[in-house]
Amino acid sequence: MPRRSGVTIRDVAQRAGVSITAVSHALNDKGTLSPATRERVRKAAAELGYRADVVARALRESRMGALGLVIRPLDALGDYLPSGVDYFTRLSGAAAHAAADLGLSLMLVPDLTRSPHSPLALSLDGYIVTDPVIDDPIVTMLLERDLPMVTVGRDPQRSERIPWVATDDTGDTLRMLRTLASGGAERIAFVAGTDENSWNLDAIEAYHSWCAENGIEPVLLRVPEAAGEDGGREAAARLWAGDAPEAVYCLTGRHAAGIMRALRERGLRVPEDVEIAAASDSEHTRSAGITALDMRPSALARAAVTLLDAVTRDDPRAAELQGTLIEGAVIPRSSTRGTA
Amino acid sequence: MPRRSGVTIRDVAQRAGVSITAVSHALNDKGTLSPATRERVRKAAAELGYRADVVARALRESRMGALGLVIRPLDALGDYLPSGVDYFTRLSGAAAHAAADLGLSLMLVPDLTRSPHSPLALSLDGYIVTDPVIDDPIVTMLLERDLPMVTVGRDPQRSERIPWVATDDTGDTLRMLRTLASGGAERIAFVAGTDENSWNLDAIEAYHSWCAENGIEPVLLRVPEAAGEDGGREAAARLWAGDAPEAVYCLTGRHAAGIMRALRERGLRVPEDVEIAAASDSEHTRSAGITALDMRPSALARAAVTLLDAVTRDDPRAAELQGTLIEGAVIPRSSTRGTA
DNA sequence: AGTCTTGTATAAAACGTTTTATCACAGTAG
DNA sequence: CTACTGTGATAAAACGTTTTATACAAGACT
């Protein structure tokens, strides 16, 4: 019996010479008790080191005190992970801390679509789903069961129905494009990923509207996220096959690193001949000296946890928190010339 | 009431026309029921989509079906994380999957020493503590409360009392030293971290015994893990102040990368003039082309989860699993000359 | 005919809380 | 003296399981 700390509400009641009801009321500031009794109970509880059993409380209140974190990009990969991705450690670590600050626990929920999932997996108070794609089966499942949920990154099609927080993809994209432009580049190519999540979709849209506004012919390439640096090299080959761009903005850091390498091999100088920037900071961009965005996963996680907590307790503040955009911070490095 | 799927054991009982006891027995293969009744109950349960409520079950059985993961190196850092560290994502992701395979959930447990921890935090069936240091307060706390626990990496002083699994630090160190020696290096310096965990301590001991065996004067430097690349540069300065080594073996990848950079600045060629290797593979070693060890975090996590599960259910197999060593895999890169 | 088995099925207790409804009592007003 | 109004406390129900002990019948043995 690992869970039981041994001391129950009954022990406290006995010690304080009152009923268990009195104990419950005293400790939760409910009911009508004289201040004297309240104090006596508190003292007894403290002396015994009493902590109400979570499970019993959960059974009664139908509230677990725990949130689930579903990291979609990880589910896709099984238990192996592409190297260099520290984003998710930062995100989940921050989420766990933010949850703890609210007196909640955070559970890592691995792929819910696999048939026998662990028992607790669907019994939590609410779920954070990161980067859902179009028609994401997990989102569908949670919606069907009517379980509270927020997404990190909008659900591309159902964002009206599901509260979300996200990186400010539109703003970030424009900011980065302006940074590149301020370095003198005019023809700026854009390399996005192929996953159908809001991160890709919103940035692409922002790029198009920026091009339209500035009278620039858009040059868009989509490269699978999983293609890594090689995908970047290939993108470079295709971009430089035609009218060479003066700058390239990549969403994925590894693509950017691959492009950089390919260009160097062609004898092009960065940033003198070409500027390069990436939307997500990772070890690749850091070690290659590529200007990138810090997407601030810990701020994002904190916002998501706060929102979900409000949602689960029908707190009206949920309305304000919904749609929070976390602005990325440009980290200027040697691959760009301009100022932000 | 988010948890309740709505359908309880009573509904099933009614539908099948039996008592709730019968339902429980039928579904758990207990008691004495006729095969016919068993089948009838199963059918009714299936039709209603009944799943026993985890919380109610946990209350009765005092077993949650959930394990806690405590990542000590992360606790030290709060919710911000040094960049480039993907080891822990891989570890926790793999642990979550391994737990799921056993029908268990995995909870991320942030720093238990902070006073108001989340309620569930101390109510789980067992705990995995990674890389405990000497006199680790978390380990002490769990021991005091008599909660089942395993460590990843031995507890330096209490390993007799606490089941553990670990990387094969001794074997890995020797293997890597031999790799470096096979490239022709004789004077091999060793750079370890300052945390007092078994990873550092065991590797240092292995280094010393290897030196003794081969009649080599040990050159050991300890650099704080948090010092990162700058720590590496400084280490290089100190190492090359005296009798220059022919090879350097670093436990931490970032130290190795810093050393490499510093040496290049001094005009030394790697691997022609100096060989460099690291014990932990990270983006730093990958991008700098430094030979390193893949510590196989997913194998490690799986071993830890399996062991902990055995421990919590008093399974005798725990004895066999205890002390499992996971051998690292050398990833040869251009910073070394020899063959493994 | 009574007494054991044997095979099925269930009633009820227990797990540790929270909450609702009720109770006892003192003081106050009519 | 009765009736009401608070005030302070508690008994008991409920949450959804699992398990222990018991009940009931039908057949098998003395």
Side-chain angles (χ1 to χ4, degrees):
Chain A
M1 47 211 123
R3 203 191 66 248
R4 283 213 270 310
S5 77
V7 32
T8 90
I9 197 174
R10 244 167 276 272
D11 302 323
V12 180
Q14 188 165 23
R15 172 147 192 151
V18 295
S19 69
I20 62 165
T21 310
V23 176
S24 177
H25 283 167
L27 265 31
N28 299 322
D29 285 320
K30 306 227 165 134
T32 58
L33 288 181
S34 71
T37 325
R38 283 219 141 80
E39 194 41 49
R40 195 147 40 90
V41 170
R42 288 222 181 82
K43 188 153 158 270
E47 285 168 0
L48 293 173
Y50 169 74
R51 297 264 299 164
D53 183 291
V54 225
V55 176
R57 171 179 286 157
L59 176 59
R60 177 59 223 225
E61 300 198 323
S62 60
R63 222 164 180 281
M64 277 292 292
L67 307 178
L69 177 63
V70 183
I71 303 183
R72 293 303 286 145
L74 288 195
D75 287 345
L77 300 161
D79 57 358
Y80 191 75
L81 202 73
S83 28
V85 183
D86 52 10
Y87 178 77
F88 298 113
T89 315
R90 295 171 65 189
L91 186 80
S92 54
H97 269 93
D101 288 345
L102 293 172
L104 299 170
S105 297
L106 187 86
M107 191 162 274
L108 236 42
V109 180
D111 204 341
L112 281 170
T113 54
R114 304 197 319 174
S115 46
H117 37 249
S118 52
L120 240 61
L122 287 174
S123 305
L124 304 172
D125 296 339
Y127 297 82
I128 297 172
V129 181
T130 63
D131 303 295
V133 297
I134 287 182
D135 284 328
D136 200 307
I138 299 293
V139 172
T140 306
M141 177 181 218
L142 293 174
L143 277 176
E144 273 170 3
R145 303 199 175 221
D146 208 25
L147 292 167
M149 153 181 48
V150 307
T151 62
V152 173
R154 284 186 308 107
D155 180 294
Q157 295 179 325
R158 293 172 283 195
S159 62
E160 313 300 323
R161 277 200 282 161
I162 310 167
W164 53 269
V165 301
T167 44
D168 181 13
D169 300 320
T170 304
D172 285 348
T173 303
L174 296 178
R175 219 171 354 264
M176 198 56 111
L177 290 171
R178 276 198 291 267
T179 302
L180 290 170
S182 77
E186 286 210 345
R187 288 178 38 83
I188 303 178
F190 187 67
V191 178
T194 52
D195 284 352
E196 299 286 340
N197 53 34
S198 68
W199 190 53
N200 280 317
L201 301 177
D202 289 357
I204 289 174
E205 192 179 322
Y207 172 67
H208 277 130
S209 69
W210 182 83
C211 286
E213 204 170 300
N214 292 274
I216 291 175
E217 181 72 13
V219 181
L220 169 68
L221 239 55
R222 296 194 70 171
V223 177
E225 277 78 356
E229 294 208 17
D230 289 341
R233 304 175 95 91
E234 213 168 302
R238 280 163 62 194
L239 287 173
W240 265 260
D243 212 357
E246 294 160 341
V248 183
Y249 181 36
C250 286
L251 289 186
T252 301
R254 276 179 299 165
H255 293 165
I259 290 180
M260 177 113 145
R261 204 163 295 213
L263 295 188
R264 288 251 163 88
E265 284 167 9
R266 282 174 180 255
L268 288 167
R269 290 165 310 163
V270 177
E272 292 81 358
D273 303 326
V274 196
E275 288 188 285
I276 297 182
S280 64
D281 191 35
S282 71
E283 194 49 43
H284 295 89
T285 53
R286 284 187 285 269
S287 69
I290 295 173
T291 296
L293 272 176
D294 175 8
M295 292 191 297
R296 301 169 59 211
S298 61
L300 205 53
R302 203 160 273 278
V305 168
T306 314
L307 172 60
L308 179 55
D309 180 58
V311 167
T312 59
R313 50 176 93 253
D314 286 320
D315 188 324
R317 265 172 299 179
E320 304 164 26
L321 295 167
Q322 138 68 29
T324 299
L325 290 179
I326 304 289
E327 206 172 278
V330 177
I331 308 172
R333 297 206 179 87
S334 61
S335 70
T336 51
R337 302 184 295 256
T339 51
Chain B
M1 46 210 121
R3 204 191 65 247
R4 284 214 270 311
S5 77
V7 31
T8 92
I9 198 173
R10 245 166 274 273
D11 301 323
V12 180
Q14 187 166 24
R15 173 147 192 151
V18 295
S19 69
I20 62 166
T21 310
V23 176
S24 176
H25 283 167
L27 264 33
N28 299 325
D29 285 321
K30 304 229 165 128
T32 58
L33 287 180
S34 71
T37 324
R38 284 217 139 80
E39 193 41 48
R40 196 147 40 91
V41 170
R42 288 221 181 81
K43 187 153 159 274
E47 285 168 0
L48 293 173
Y50 169 74
R51 298 261 301 163
D53 182 290
V54 228
V55 176
R57 171 179 285 157
L59 177 59
R60 177 60 221 222
E61 300 199 325
S62 59
R63 230 173 171 278
M64 278 293 292
L67 308 178
L69 178 63
V70 183
I71 302 183
R72 292 303 284 146
L74 288 195
D75 287 345
L77 300 160
D79 59 356
Y80 191 74
L81 202 72
S83 27
V85 184
D86 52 11
Y87 177 78
F88 298 112
T89 316
R90 294 171 64 189
L91 187 80
S92 54
H97 269 93
D101 287 345
L102 294 172
L104 298 170
S105 297
L106 188 87
M107 190 161 274
L108 236 42
V109 180
D111 203 340
L112 282 171
T113 55
R114 304 198 320 174
S115 47
H117 36 251
S118 53
L120 239 59
L122 286 174
S123 306
L124 304 172
D125 297 338
Y127 297 82
I128 298 173
V129 181
T130 64
D131 303 295
V133 297
I134 288 183
D135 286 327
D136 199 308
I138 300 294
V139 172
T140 305
M141 177 179 217
L142 294 174
L143 277 176
E144 272 170 3
R145 303 199 177 219
D146 207 26
L147 292 168
M149 152 181 49
V150 306
T151 61
V152 173
R154 285 185 308 108
D155 181 293
Q157 296 179 324
R158 292 171 284 194
S159 61
E160 315 298 324
R161 278 201 282 162
I162 311 167
W164 52 269
V165 301
T167 43
D168 181 12
D169 300 320
T170 304
D172 285 349
T173 304
L174 296 179
R175 220 173 353 267
M176 198 56 112
L177 289 171
R178 277 200 290 270
T179 302
L180 290 170
S182 78
E186 285 209 347
R187 288 177 40 80
I188 304 179
F190 186 68
V191 179
T194 52
D195 284 352
E196 300 285 337
N197 55 33
S198 67
W199 190 54
N200 281 318
L201 301 178
D202 289 356
I204 289 175
E205 193 179 321
Y207 172 66
H208 277 130
S209 67
W210 183 83
C211 286
E213 204 170 300
N214 292 273
I216 292 175
E217 181 72 13
V219 180
L220 170 68
L221 239 56
R222 297 194 69 169
V223 177
E225 277 80 356
E229 294 208 18
D230 289 340
R233 306 175 93 92
E234 215 167 299
R238 281 162 62 193
L239 287 173
W240 265 260
D243 212 358
E246 295 161 341
V248 184
Y249 181 37
C250 286
L251 289 186
T252 301
R254 274 178 301 164
H255 293 165
I259 290 181
M260 177 113 145
R261 204 163 295 212
L263 295 188
R264 289 250 164 88
E265 285 167 8
R266 282 174 179 257
L268 289 167
R269 291 165 310 163
V270 177
E272 290 82 359
D273 303 326
V274 197
E275 289 187 283
I276 297 182
S280 64
D281 191 37
S282 71
E283 194 52 39
H284 296 88
T285 54
R286 285 186 285 270
S287 68
I290 295 173
T291 296
L293 272 175
D294 176 6
M295 293 191 296
R296 300 169 60 211
S298 61
L300 205 54
R302 203 160 274 278
V305 168
T306 314
L307 173 60
L308 179 55
D309 181 57
V311 167
T312 58
R313 51 177 92 252
D314 286 319
D315 188 324
R317 265 172 299 179
E320 305 164 26
L321 295 169
Q322 138 66 29
T324 300
L325 290 180
I326 303 289
E327 206 173 276
V330 177
I331 307 171
R333 297 207 178 87
S334 60
S335 70
T336 51
R337 301 185 295 257
T339 50

